[in-house]
Amino acid sequence: MNVFFKQNIMKNKNLLKSWGILLFIMLFFQQSIMAAGYQVLLQGNRVTAMGNLGVGLRPDASSMFFNPGAMPFMEGNQIMLGINLVNSNIAFWDSQTPSSTNTALTESPIGTPFHVYAVWGPKDSRWKFALGAYTPFGSTITWGKEWQGRYLLDQIRLTAIYTQATASFKLTDKLSIGAGFVAMFGSVELQRVLPVTSDLESTLINLNGNSKTGFGYNVGLYWEISEKWQLGASYRSKIDAELEDGDVTFENVPSSLAGLFQPNKFSASLPLPSQISLGINFTPNDRLTVGVEANYIGWSAYESLDFNFADQNIAIQNIKSPRNYHDTYVFHLGGEYRIKNFQLRAGTYYDLSPVDKGYMTPETPDTNRFALSAGLGYSLGEKLQLDLSFLYNVGQKRTQTVEEAQAAGTYPSATNSTYAVEPGTYKLKAYIPGLSITYKF
Amino acid sequence: MKWITNLSLAILLFGFIIGCKPEIEVPAPKAGGADFSEYIALGNSLSAGFSDGGLYLEVQQQSFPALIANQIMKINAGLQFNQPEMPQGNGSGYLKLRTLDLVNQIFDFTILPPDANWTNKIPGTYQNLGIPGIRVRDITVNGYGANPTQGNPYFYRILGEQEANKSYLDVLSESNATIYTSWLGSNDVLGYATSGGKDGISGLPGTGINGLTPVNEFEASYDALINAMNGKGASGFLITVPDVTNIPFFKSIAWNALALNSEQAAAATAGYQALIDPQIEAGVAEATIRLVATDTVLSVAVIPDLADTTVFLQAYQQAIAGGADEATALQMAQAFVESPEGIATIEALEAQLNVELPAHLLGEPTSPELDPLFAIIDQELATNVALQQAIAQTNDQITQAYEAGLLPELEAVVAQQTATQIDAFKAAGIYPTFEAGNNGFVIEVPVSQTNPLGIRQMVEGELILFTAALGDELLPENAAMPKPDEIILTLDEIDNIREYTDQYNEIIEGYAGNSIGILDSDNILETINEGTFIDGVEITGAYVQGGVFSLDAIHLTPRGNAIVANSLIHAINQKFGSTIPPVKVSDYRAVILP
């Protein structure tokens, strides 16, 4: 990948310079939640502009993510660099306490999921190979130290970076398949306030750790049924992010409790679920394409989030936090219309929440999401493609009652002392512009 | 080309600019059927915000009336709620934790000294009329705040220079309350309870301090308060008097927390034996010797003559009954007395009297026909000085001989009686016995007929006051020693407290009506003591760690005040149809850990 980069950067110095710096700076920021659970659906700004419709599209470099089987149908070679700026926040109202007017709003920093793809195939070959990196899962939420759920969560940063190597092969003039191998690097930073009264500021517990490298794969199939109809199908495997030897540290511990709150180690495990996708596109002419897509996400793999501490005492006990997510669907509709060397795009999707009643935790107080997107593509000559997108994603207002949480065992009751959720009403909103730049060669 | 750059930039900026936040519509708080123009809090230290053994600015600002007022301000933004604030600093002085050993439950306090000027007068119009120390019986007392040292300094400081003679009733009558809370009555039992009931139900003569307020006085005073508030057309919520024995001040030390291993138990048992047995023996010996002395003297000095006279009288009366006249009857009686039959009768009567005399002296039942004779004997014992002297002399002689060891039979009798007495005392729970494990503490009780030792062991249900922990009483070297009455509540004393509390509450609950609601403080206390989870934090009634009770083990922390405030807010909302928003209990602090 280095070889390609050097040559091409030299050729398009001016343009890439201004954007490149911005992108690289933002690469070091964290991601933000914008899909159901902690899934991030921002892996290509052409696709994003079309309501995240990707599996059945005539491919570009981002197909190495959306449908590795489609790459042989891409003409030439491409390198794509892209980023999204996720401005996503959650509103909370303590609706379960009678007459309460208590509200809270996250002050989450802007997240920066990114994607980098390089796709290359020998001239006139049926083969295409690709290397890439992207972030399909992540979450940055900052509730702060004032909201009533602060003893559950003050802030969290969850990141999962996937690196992928893919090969795909054109079986016939109409059909191609591909497969990719994935290595995942994950990390989590979590902070909660401890219910301690002292002369100091809020006593805090920090959990920080990196996961072991996780491995997975994806496969895809792309079928140009006719001139006007395309079909795509893909599967991405689940990867477990396993964290061992994470660091536990404390801040603002009064001296009388110093013996109980000593630096510690923790372990935890989080599933990054599998996904099956199926999409059909209709392309009546060389200007217009419209399509529909359905995804099935294997969220039932997420049963519980447990934090196990190396040393336990009366104040520090292993945390068992049930989740019991269920498998869900996402449905997409989108289209693209070409005028000269511009492409106008629009789309929508509906993302069903995997979270059951009583399991809406502060880091994923999930609700069904509805999204609208629009975007613009611009082909600059034969070498350069710019894709701009804007995604508006809103989570329907959803209320979690004390009874639902107690039945789920996530809120204290006469028979259970687990405290894992904050009952109340939640609403999510995200505004996400994005830009991808593709260099074709 | 450039315009692409501009357009892209514009779209990105657009994204940032309209990055508005999600919002949830929340219904605005409403007054409903209540008039929140002026809220007045009537009460004692609990309403004033008293905490950690003192009243100081930081806790005053978090008194439950202040918390309620802040929430009412969300409905009536112009609400004035003034409190008689202490100057910044230590106020009347209070307790603070210096070090804490949670694992071994060792608390080390420092006492912050009071501000020099805290009793300076700050006359004004206050909406928080919570006066620490005030009892219901003090409400109508003129001059209750006349003097900072002889009266109530907290009341003194809110009165103007010319207002020395005012009563609490006068002050509350001047308020413009449209809605009020009243939590009064705890001090009418707390004085008695926190002094271990040592001054009895009536307390100290004159002021009744440390006593239980007579129910009729309680009723008269509270009636006056209710009438005054009704006269203003104010609506109110009255909080009942809680069962004060249910707070950490009385529950922190168990009645049987005297934990001894088998060696210590044996040592304590031996210690008490060494202390008590000689006393019992001496008592038994003294009683026995007195019995013997009395018996001996009587059988020589009184009984023969008595028997003689009695038989003579009987014969005389028989003769009279047979028709003889006085002179003849006397002769016949005399003859009878000298006859062999008469002598036998006299001797028989003497014998009977001698046999039953010890029983009579011990207060046990005797043959009914001897009753008049014993009455005469008793009369003689009470009035005949020579007889008393003779008995006393004999007593001394026997005592001397006993102590010289010259009366082994008497010693044996005394030893046996002592053993019997010890068993009786043990059965009555008066004689301290110890085993390995938990043991009841030994306490001092008034000496009485049934308990001449003046000590006994505690029984289940009795309480030890928190003040015991602050002194030396519970140190290992002193733990088994008898505890004074003022740090103990016996079953009787607890019954008294509960009985008076119930009667006070009957009166309070009787005021319920359309404009007066009642809040049961025992419900709140029970919920706290059972343990509960509120607003993200665990709440229990445990000292310090429960989050509710402050360092003085009686008054509440700001977090405890928040719980009371929410109970009232909820009750007011339910009764009057308002929607005052509650506070977040976890936003208010528990005891500050060092």
Side-chain angles (χ1 to χ4, degrees), chain A residues 94 102 110 148 197 256 342 378, chain B residues 1 3-4 16 584 593-594:
Chain A
D94 180 16
N102 239 352
I110 295 190
Q148 69 196 58
T197 300
S256 56
F342 286 99
Y378 181 64
Chain B
M1 261 281 286
W3 70 269
I4 298 229
F16 278 99
K584 280 270 141 275
L593 301 182

Side-chain angles (χ1 to χ4, degrees), chain A residues 85 87 89 91 94 98-99 102 110 148 150-151 197 199 254 256-257 342 376 378 380 386 388 412 419 425 427 431, chain B residues 1 3-4 7 11 16 18-24 96 102 533 536 573 580-582 584 586-587 590 593-594:
Chain A
L85 301 173
N87 184 13
N89 281 296
D94 180 16
S99 305
N102 239 352
I110 295 190
Q148 69 196 58
R150 58 189 175 270
Y151 307 118
T197 300
D199 284 325
S256 56
L257 299 179
F342 286 99
L376 185 72
Y378 181 64
L380 192 70
L386 297 173
L388 210 61
Y419 172 47
T425 300
K427 193 168 174 187
Y431 298 83
Chain B
M1 261 281 286
W3 70 269
I4 298 229
L7 180 63
I11 293 187
F16 278 99
I18 65 163
C20 333
K21 311 280 181 140
E23 258 180 59
I24 301 180
K96 199 170 162 77
L102 267 179
F533 187 86
N573 285 344
I580 309 171
K584 280 270 141 275
S586 52
D587 284 348
L593 301 182

